[in-house]
Amino acid sequence: MVIPSSSFTIRRVNQSSKFGKWTSFCSLRQSLLITLWLSLFIVLFIWQKNLFDGLLIFRRNSGSGGVLMIPKLRPFVFNLTDFGGVGDGRTVNTRAFERAILEISKLKNGGGGQLNVLDGYWLTAPFNLTSHMTLFLAQNAVILAIQDEKYWPLMPPLPSYGFGREHPGPRYGSLIHGQNLTDVTITGHNGTIDGQGKSWWDKFRQKRLNHTRGPLVQIMWSSDIRFSNITLQNSPFWTLHPYDCKNVFVTNVTILAPVVGAPNTDGIDPDSCENMVIEDCYISVGDDGVAIKSGWDQYGINYGKPSTNILIKNVVIRSMVSAGLSIGSEMSGGVSNVRVENLHVWNSRRGVRIKTSLGRGGYVRNITYRNIMFDNLRVGIVIKTDYNEHPDERYNPKAVPVIEDISFTGIYGNGVRVPVRINGSLEIPVKNVVFRDMSVGITYKKKHIFQCAFVHGRVIGSVFPSPCENLDRYDEQGQLIRRSAMHNITNIDYDF
């Protein structure tokens, strides 16, 4: 069949018209895509330039010279350099700190002041804080303690201790000190306060000191005190010591000292304190990580200020010499209502410990441990009633402490030689101890791995390793299975 030429011509024209329209459409689409890509490129270029310029401005405005801008936390803000401070690690900045803090002390009616310690090494002798003050340490700021003890003032012994903790008579003050204050904050971008304690530790071991060493930071008779986002290290003695304070908060604080060769470098020592929180901290020191206290023998009894309402949670501790968390031994004013949650103690001598003795008086009661993890310890849980250290011979041996209402729930771990050692006595029985949900992997295969003496209490549900015979047994529903007839039996084994 032959197609007429006119028809063929019309069809070619129609096809050419469609092709032209398609070509025009593609060209338009390509132009739009090119325009869109160019627009995006220009926007990205401008955004990146603005971002870069913004970062430069951010760096220029940064008080520490780094990438972190120091926030304004008080109505009035000063830098230590405004008062002649020099952060070269050699210049002594004590007068600069004192002048700055004196200026802030005049601002109490205006909301107080903030003192920024910028990047650098700021050598100083001890100085005192004032109320309504924030001490802010930049990211690379280090406050360095002067090492020569002649620059450290002597202070009277703590009234609830009677004597200096190591020597009779006066004691050295702390590097950073405060008394009768309110509304004080020490914070930062994890800047550091370094006690440079090695010279103190060496002199202590060589018996070349005539007075008790001073803490790194000590706040006394004060309220509304906050520590956060800082590092405290190498304290001459106890590191952070709030004494007879109310409403104290310690958050995101790192505390460091050599785990051996740094005697008595406790991490945090709440002492006769009320309403205190310690949370989200890391502590690795040469003595107890946390030690809750309330005075020593007759002096603590007479002073009569307990430590009470204390919460400790989300804390990791290492203590090769002593314990992760201790109560006592100076507990003569009483310790009560302490809650410990989410505690991890690793590579340490002991996990959690309560220690006291005849002559202490006082009480330890209503103590709750929950969700505790032990990792590679010699002893997990310790209650010791013969810790016989006394300030002098005038203590009353008939002052008998009371230990009661202690609960352990969710105790886990691995590599623990002795999971539990509760060493009560005829004079100081340990009353109403409760264990529930415990599973601790042991490395010690001798007979007495759950050790008890003069203990009254309960085991509820599953507990591993097998608990001692001193404790009553209950099922998971709290129904009595077997009551112990041997609360006073002793199976303490120190030979390991």
Side-chain angles (χ1 to χ4, degrees), residues 194 285 448:
D194 190 336
V285 289
H448 297 151

Side-chain angles (χ1 to χ4, degrees), residues 420-424 450-455 467-471 487 489-492:
V420 176
R421 177 181 290 148
I422 301 178
N423 190 4
F450 199 119
Q451 303 179 8
C452 301
F454 294 91
V455 179
C468 56
E469 295 297 319
N470 306 56
L471 304 172
H487 294 301
I489 191 173
T490 298
N491 63 355
I492 303 296

Side-chain angles (χ1 to χ4, degrees), residues 34 53 79 96 100 213 224 240 313 337 451 454 469-470:
I34 291 171
D53 291 342
N79 294 332
R213 292 168 288 157
D224 302 317
L240 178 55
K313 66 177 183 177
N337 300 336
Q451 303 179 8
F454 294 91
E469 295 297 319
N470 306 56

Side-chain angles (χ1 to χ4, degrees), residues 63-221:
S64 66
V67 297
L68 293 175
M69 180 177 287
I70 294 178
K72 183 178 180 181
L73 304 175
R74 299 277 184 179
F76 301 93
V77 179
F78 307 96
N79 294 332
L80 187 62
T81 51
D82 299 337
F83 299 88
V86 179
D88 60 4
R90 299 185 302 274
T91 303
V92 177
N93 292 281
T94 313
R95 289 291 299 139
F97 278 108
E98 291 174 344
R99 285 193 290 265
I101 293 167
L102 177 61
E103 188 67 25
I104 291 173
S105 70
K106 303 173 184 177
L107 304 171
K108 58 184 179 181
N109 295 327
Q114 174 177 327
L115 177 60
N116 296 330
V117 182
L118 308 182
D119 289 359
Y121 292 85
W122 308 87
L123 184 67
T124 180
F127 60 88
N128 296 323
L129 303 177
T130 189
S131 292
H132 308 293
M133 172 183 178
T134 295
L135 179 65
F136 193 100
L137 279 69
Q139 185 175 16
N140 297 308
V142 181
I143 296 177
L144 288 172
I146 201 164
Q147 293 176 290
D148 191 339
E149 64 265 26
K150 73 180 180 183
Y151 291 97
W152 290 63
L154 289 175
M155 304 181 64
L158 295 168
S160 60
Y161 285 70
F163 285 9
R165 191 60 182 81
E166 297 174 328
H167 293 277
R171 60 190 178 92
Y172 288 107
S174 58
L175 176 67
I176 298 179
H177 192 80
Q179 296 186 14
N180 302 304
L181 305 180
T182 185
D183 180 25
V184 173
T185 297
I186 301 179
T187 187
H189 288 143
N190 202 33
T192 299
I193 302 172
D194 190 336
Q196 301 200 98
K198 187 177 185 306
S199 64
W200 292 91
W201 310 330
D202 292 343
K203 290 174 183 177
F204 171 76
R205 284 192 295 266
Q206 297 161 6
K207 298 183 178 180
R208 293 166 51 199
L209 294 172
N210 297 319
H211 306 286
T212 299
R213 292 168 288 157
L216 187 63
V217 180
Q218 184 180 64
I219 309 295
M220 305 172 61
W221 304 305

